[in-house]
Amino acid sequence: MSGLDEVYINGTMEHRLPQNLNISFAYVEGESLLMGINDIAVSSGSACTSATLEPSYVLKALGTGDDLAHSSIRFGLGRFNTDAEVDYVADRVIETVSRLRELSPLYEMAKEGIDLKSVKWAAE
Amino acid sequence: MSYSNKVIDHYNNPRNVGSMDKTSAEVGTGLVGAPECGDVMKLQIKVNPATNVIEDAKFKTFGCGSAIASSSLATEWVKGKTIDEALAIKNTEIVKELSLPPVKIHCSVLAEDAIRAAIGDWKKKQSASTPVPVEAKA
């Protein structure tokens, strides 16, 4: 993932299941990312909340903010996955995140040096 | 969840992506939603002050495929319309056009809000920049 900036691994790299990876791609909404890599079986949020649009409460309990929780993808590896498949997924994710960031007003604002936390958002 | 073909088309080929100079008097900018809610839309319009016609529109959206599609469609619809015609666009028309399911109706509401916010910003600029008669000084 060195092809992208502002990528955050959720949870520790030491105390976790080896086949599980949960990553937040800042400024990109998780569901839109899934839609761009729809030939890959990954999930946004967690298995626990897959039926809802709510961000993962597990991530929130780990201290991930609501914003980054909306930008998370859960990758799971099985025993039959190959190195080539991992490379393929990495390429597709980088390509899609880059495309969606060009579409993201948040990425644009962050690049302009605006602190998104200081913005008074006009929520619904 | 399955997406309609129109949502997929807007997601794959979003129309009018980009940004305009938000400091320009002819440009109105609407920024609605919040990162914590998972949707933020920025919609900008460029209005001809003589005719009140929206000559150009651009958007950028952080959100799901339906949010991207709703705002992409909104830019298509407002282009060429007058301010008053654009204000008449209803979220229910977006829902219908994109066949949005009930859990995605908020995306259409946000797109309508974005149109209104952009127009509101433009109007504010117009009233601020209306030339006030000033007595000529010698």
Side-chain angles (χ1 to χ4, degrees):
Chain A
M1 293 296 162
S2 55
L4 293 172
D5 60 346
E6 300 225 41
V7 173
Y8 304 94
I9 292 170
N10 294 310
T12 160
M13 285 305 277
E14 233 173 282
H15 306 289
R16 79 184 306 140
L17 296 173
Q19 79 280 17
N20 164 286
L21 193 59
N22 192 304
I23 308 183
S24 288
F25 301 92
Y27 319 119
V28 171
E29 197 273 338
E31 198 184 317
S32 66
L33 177 51
L34 288 192
M35 199 172 162
I37 53 171
N38 59 0
D39 55 337
I40 299 164
V42 291
S43 69
S44 61
S46 62
C48 328
T49 50
S50 64
T52 75
L53 302 177
E54 289 300 305
S56 161
Y57 61 81
V58 179
L59 290 185
K60 286 164 82 171
L62 284 170
T64 308
D66 271 356
D67 47 350
L68 279 178
H70 277 290
S71 300
S72 71
I73 298 288
R74 181 191 190 276
F75 299 87
L77 284 170
R79 64 193 295 189
F80 300 113
N81 284 122
T82 63
D83 282 354
E85 285 169 345
V86 173
D87 289 341
Y88 174 77
V89 170
D91 287 345
R92 294 273 287 122
V93 167
I94 291 170
E95 175 191 312
T96 310
V97 167
S98 303
R99 182 177 93 84
L100 291 172
R101 281 183 173 171
E102 286 307 306
L103 214 66
S104 170
L106 303 180
Y107 189 65
E108 181 182 72
M109 291 167 81
K111 290 287 145 192
E112 284 171 5
I114 297 169
D115 176 11
L116 296 177
K117 300 248 186 290
S118 71
V119 177
K120 202 167 173 292
W121 296 99
E124 279 175 76
Chain B
M1 189 184 311
S2 64
Y3 294 97
S4 70
N5 288 335
K6 281 182 181 166
V7 168
I8 292 168
D9 181 44
H10 277 281
Y11 173 83
N12 286 327
N13 309 291
R15 331 289 201 259
N16 308 309
V17 175
S19 296
M20 293 190 273
D21 178 9
K22 59 176 180 283
T23 61
S24 163
E26 291 178 350
V27 173
T29 302
L31 184 68
V32 296
E36 291 74 21
C37 304
D39 299 288
V40 176
M41 290 181 186
K42 185 184 78 166
L43 194 146
Q44 292 184 300
I45 52 170
K46 186 170 181 242
V47 186
N48 182 326
T51 59
N52 277 2
V53 168
I54 298 170
E55 292 182 336
D56 200 6
K58 297 276 182 210
F59 88 98
K60 283 198 176 190
T61 287
F62 162 84
C64 67
S66 302
I68 290 169
S70 295
S71 40
S72 171
L73 178 67
T75 59
E76 274 195 314
W77 278 1
V78 298
K79 261 201 202 184
K81 284 195 167 70
T82 64
I83 288 295
D84 289 341
E85 286 167 348
L87 280 173
I89 295 171
K90 292 274 168 290
N91 83 292
T92 47
E93 297 170 89
I94 295 170
V95 171
K96 199 173 160 202
E97 173 68 16
L98 297 175
S99 309
L100 297 181
V103 289
K104 295 295 182 185
I105 286 174
H106 71 277
C107 299
S108 70
V109 174
L110 207 56
E112 186 188 314
D113 287 349
I115 296 172
R116 290 175 179 278
I119 292 174
D121 182 55
W122 177 78
K123 281 188 173 168
K124 209 166 81 186
K125 280 183 182 172
Q126 291 311 108
S127 55
S129 64
T130 304
V132 182
V134 189
E135 278 181 52
K137 282 179 187 159

